[in-house]
Each structure stands twice: as C-alpha cells, then as structure tokens.
Amino acid sequence: MSLVVVGSIAFDAIKTPFGERKRALGGAAVHFALAASYFGDVRMVGPVGDDFGDEEYAVLHSRGINTDDVEHVEGGKTFFYACEYEWNLNVRHSLDTQLNVFGDFQPKLSEASKNSELLFLANIQPDLQREVREQCKGARLAALDSMNFWIESARESLVKTIGSVDILFMNDEEVRMLTEQPTLMGGAKALMEMGPRVIVAKQGEYGAALFTEQGFFALPAYPLESVIDPTGAGDSFAGGFLGYLDSEGGTIDDATLRRAMTYGCATASFWVEEFGCERVATLTREEIDERYQDFLHMTSIEGIRAG
Amino acid sequence: MSLVVVGSIAFDAIKTPFGERKRALGGAAVHFALAASYFGDVRMVGPVGDDFGDEEYAVLHSRGINTDDVEHVEGGKTFFYACEYEWNLNVRHSLDTQLNVFGDFQPKLSEASKNSELLFLANIQPDLQREVREQCKGARLAALDSMNFWIESARESLVKTIGSVDILFMNDEEVRMLTEQPTLMGGAKALMEMGPRVIVAKQGEYGAALFTEQGFFALPAYPLESVIDPTGAGDSFAGGFLGYLDSEGGTIDDATLRRAMTYGCATASFWVEEFGCERVATLTREEIDERYQDFLHMTSIEGIRAG
C-alpha cells in the first residue's frame, strides 16, 4: 500500500524535569512519519520556513521519508511551539505558540500523495482536513486526529470531518468533551454514529483503547521506569498503528487492528525515552518487534506458565 | 483457606449525576467482604453504632459473611460519609465525614479471625493496621490498602506498615505521591523495596496494573456504557482479587495473580452499575465468570480469529 500524512512540521522548545531542548525537530507529521517509516514507505505533507534546512531533512531522509510535498515557504519561519512538563508528566503547560507558515497552510498534494491508499490527517483545522480528504480520491482508508482546541472552536466542522474518515484517533478526555458522554464506551458509540468504523482512544500513560463494531480491546502503555519527554507519543502511536495497517494492505478486521494497536504502543514507548524524536537515531525495527513480543506476554491472562 | 477483612463499615450519602442515596450501606470492609463472598467464606471486623441493624446485617448474611467480629458500640453512631461525583465520575467531592464509632476504633479480633490465613487491612490508620497485622500470627498472607490522607499525615507509620505486608493495593496517583517517583514502574519498584512482593496499582476507569518480581501485567477496566456510582469499586476489586487468591490456596505465583487481577476487575465492574453495593442483590458468580471470559477475549492480541 502507500501512506501519506498531512500535518504540522515544527520546532519545539521542550522542558521536562529531566532536561530541555531549545529547538527540537517536531510537529505531528514529523513524529507520525518517522514512526510509520519502520513499517513501510511514507509521504509527508506540511509547510516549513527558511529555518528548516539540511539537518532536519537529513533526519527525515535517514528513515526514507518522501518529502516531495514538504512545502518551503520563502521568507517564512517554521511553526514553533514551547511547552513545559511538570514532574507529573501528564501535566503540560503551553508556553508559546508561533504558527508562522503553519498559520496560512493550504495543503497542496502531488498526484502521488493524492493517490496514496492510506491517509492520515494529523491535527490541523478541520476544514482543511476535510479538503484534503476530498482531494485524496485514491485513499481507501482515511484516519484523523484532532484536539480540544478544535472541539471548542470548530465543533461543527470537526463533526463533519469525523464523518468523512474511517478511523478516528482522539485522547479519551477529548472523546468525553466532544460527545458529552460520561463513559468512554458511550463516547465511542456516539463517535461511531458520526461515521468512523474504528475509534482509537489514546490514554497517555494508561495506553489506548480500541472500539469497533466487533467490540472492545485495550492495551496498557509499555511500562517504563524512566520517561524523559512525552512529546510526540500520540503521533508516534498513530504512526506505528497506521504504518502497520498499511503494511498489512489496509485490512481493518479486528485481529489486524489489535496488532496495529500493539505496534502503535510499542513504537510510542520508544519515543518517550528521549527528547522529541531523538530516539529515532538509534531505534531499529527489531527493538519494536521485541516490545511487541513483550506485550503478548504482559497482557496474557491465562497464556503464561506459573512462575 | 480463610479470609478476614478489617476496616470501615459505613453509611454513605452519595450523589452522582444519575441519582442519589441518602443512606447507603458502605465502607471498605463491607464492599470488600461482599465482593470476596463470591469466592468463599469471609470474616469482617469493624465497628458499628446503634443505627446499624437487622436490615444491614441481612445484606451481609445473605452473602454468608461472618459478622461475629463486627463490634456494636452501645450509644454510638456508625461512620457516616457524604460525597458528590461530578459528571466526569473520576472527580469526587467529599461533603461530610463523621467518624463516629470509627474514630475510636480499636480492632478486637476473635481467635478465628486472628487465625485466618489471608488478611486484608482495608484503609484505616496505619498504626492500627500494623497492630492487626501483628495480632494475626496465623495469616500466611497480608494485604493492605491505604489513601492519600495517611500518606500526608502518617507517612512514616504507613511505610513501616507497608513493610509488614505481602500485597499492597494503592491508587496509582498515591503511588506517585508516596514514592515521589514520576513513573508508575519506578514507584512500584520503590514500594517493593519497602517490603511487599506484590504491588497492585488501582487506576480507576483505566483498570489496574500488577507489579511483581516476575514482571508487569495490566488490565483495562471492563468497558461499560453506563456507570451509575463508582463508590466501592476499589474495595470490591480487592475483594474479588483476594477472594480468588484465597480460593486458590493463597498461591501468589504470576499466573494466579493475573487471574486474581481479572476476577477483581470483573467483580468491580458490577459494583459501579448500581449505587453503593446494591448490585449485590442480584449479582451471581456466573455473571462474574462471564465477564472473566469477556476479559480473555478483550485483552487478547493474537488469540482471536480475524472477524
């Protein structure tokens, strides 16, 4: 198959109790594409400014990512985001958001991107997401991520956009916020009524839950003694998930989706071990596969021998 | 084997967005004992006042719970607690706490209770928990629950008490608070260094995680479309968990503990379907076993057939 992601490309200033970075390569499309690259080819669509150069492209190209549709806006600056995490890494404070070239982003997709069979609409303005979805006539499957900001400021458009995709990724708190259902199960049902066949609720340090017509599946996050920086965890999870689906020909039966969930969680578990996407420098597919195997053991109720 | 629980017996005033109760039978020992009763015999130790009568005993006796060590304090009133849950049921506000006879509680255990092989120290003052632990010479296994209040007000005593038990139940946020470790894995390791061989982190709507020397296991909460009242979920989880362990002869190898986790989550999932412990009126062991089977399916990554 073929996979394309449309979303933000950014420089992030990140501070956690374990260190900081003033200018880390980031953005949803970057984290997603790098994660998906462990499973197959991926194309990336998003805008950058003059400050985005060889060093950044080298990271992307080292993983074989196609950057033909990365749009260089002359005289512009790349999207910049600064945040600080508390000692409880679940709590993040946004310090600065400079949209720069991302503020005027009008996605322009090449024919190759339009004809990708699997499309991931990372978190951007829902009208734009819908426009991209309509352009990608060739996409057999489309998946979407969004955030609380759009639920609050563009709810109607977001609901319409959700109706145009097959797979929806969303934080569990955002499911609650959007659907106004007190339980996640109730929220997932409400979301499925909007259109998508597959709802993936991201639960941060608690892992992720999958809702389909066939039922429910959930995975804990991989247990790590040390987490350095949660930035990019959600997008790398989606990248591992959809990268795996793409490698399986885009099948979305329950069994394939469960394995996709597991590859997503395995991939994301490496992301948080270093700042931004720095872990990619040494990460191998073999390591991801090892954690996949660990998940088989960690989640088995009756499959293991008495110790 | 034989199982005894020492803890609070209460009347709860509970308000949730789905209704309210002015005077529901509650308290950690009650929820625990009722849940454990689905797996075998259980004895209950705790104080009640003059307002605790036939109606309340009838609920306990309907499940075969031994109440010989329920201490009736003449002229006293039973512990009373009032709370209100927000629409997001994870958020609870305490409205009123009247300790009454529970304030002067000095556990008095009969020989039969002292000789129980499995002891659950529900959430009470840690000095008292340790005294009980010392009295129960016959207990081959002791388990403990606690709460943020004791972490803040009696940390040193709590740490000492934790050192005297085999299995520790604690909310994940309290693990973080007590150990000052940013990850749950780090916190669990720190807790094991205090003494217990088994750490069970309760995660509310996210389920529960198990840490032992042999490794990590986690389960999501059972997915429910409607949750009426979360009161008693944690104690009924511990009741199902330890009730099952007791029925298995108190073995605590990894395989048995994983099944105990699953029975705990299955049992707790019924508790939240009605106010307080009202679900017990109709709940059967067969229903618990059905949800146990559901968990096998819901958590299996590779065991299911393509749908």
Side-chain angles (χ1 to χ4, degrees), chain B residues 184-198:
Chain B
L184 188 57
M185 179 63 124
K189 284 204 174 182
L191 291 172
M192 277 193 264
E193 280 164 21
M194 295 178 192
R197 284 173 286 170
V198 178

Side-chain angles (χ1 to χ4, degrees), chain B residues 82-96:
Chain B
C83 66
E84 180 168 355
Y85 291 88
E86 287 189 11
W87 177 82
N88 176 344
L89 292 167
N90 299 310
V91 186
R92 179 175 69 186
H93 302 283
S94 293
L95 302 178
D96 191 8

Side-chain angles (χ1 to χ4, degrees), chain A residues 2-22:
Chain A
S2 47
L3 173 59
V4 62
V5 52
V6 181
S8 63
I9 301 169
F11 287 116
D12 292 333
I14 306 163
K15 194 170 176 182
T16 83
F18 313 106
E20 66 180 309
R21 293 291 183 275
K22 299 281 188 201

Side-chain angles (χ1 to χ4, degrees), chain A residues 87 90 172 176 180 183 185 189 205-206 216-217 223-225 258 292 297-298 300-302 304, chain B residues 87 90 172 176 180 183 185 189 205-206 216-217 223-225 258 262 292 297-298 300 302 304:
Chain A
W87 177 82
N90 298 310
D172 62 342
R176 220 187 285 273
E180 297 177 350
T183 66
M185 179 63 124
K189 283 203 174 182
E205 67 161 331
Y206 298 106
F216 172 82
F217 172 72
L224 295 169
E225 197 169 340
R258 286 174 181 223
Y292 180 93
H297 180 77
M298 288 185 317
S300 177
I301 296 171
E302 295 202 328
I304 62 156
Chain B
W87 177 82
N90 299 310
D172 61 343
R176 221 187 283 272
E180 297 177 350
T183 65
M185 179 63 124
K189 284 204 174 182
E205 67 161 331
Y206 299 106
F216 171 81
F217 172 73
L224 294 169
E225 196 170 340
R258 286 174 181 224
T262 311
Y292 181 94
H297 181 78
M298 287 184 319
S300 176
E302 295 202 329
I304 62 158

